[in-house]
Amino acid sequence: YAEAMIEAAKALQLEVNEVLMVGDHNIDSTCAVNGGCYFIGVATGPRGDKSWEQNRPEVILRSVADLPTYLTEKYS
């Protein structure tokens, strides 16, 4: 549900477009898209790459541990 992500953003005093959500399943991606925030998928969930057979996000990292490197390279 996008409402949970929107409420989390409000609790952090952020606008939704300032939020980056990371998830390991297509339902996480759907939540982010419906809520209007950025999304990065990771393949470390129980289904691995199979999680992304539907609703494939633009960015998929092998692991959440790769996130700092990705963000540094993308936004430096």
Side-chain angles (χ1 to χ4, degrees), residues 49-73:
D49 286 326
K50 290 182 181 182
S51 292
W52 306 117
E53 291 174 351
Q54 298 176 347
N55 300 328
R56 186 169 183 82
E58 185 176 319
V59 177
I60 301 174
L61 303 177
R62 298 297 329 142
S63 169
V64 72
D66 297 330
L67 186 61
T69 301
Y70 171 80
L71 293 174
T72 299
E73 290 173 359

Side-chain angles (χ1 to χ4, degrees), residues 2-3 5 11-12 14 19-20 22 31-32 34 37 39 43 47-48 50-53 56 60 64-65 70-72 75:
E3 293 80 14
M5 189 275 308
L12 294 168
L14 296 170
V19 173
L20 168 66
V22 177
C31 174
N34 289 344
C37 74
F39 182 78
R47 297 190 67 222
K50 290 182 181 182
S51 292
W52 306 117
E53 291 174 351
R56 186 169 183 82
I60 301 174
V64 72
Y70 171 80
L71 293 174
T72 299
Y75 297 104

Side-chain angles (χ1 to χ4, degrees), residues 24-37:
D24 64 0
H25 194 273
N26 65 28
I27 198 166
D28 301 326
S29 175
T30 300
C31 174
V33 169
N34 289 344
C37 74

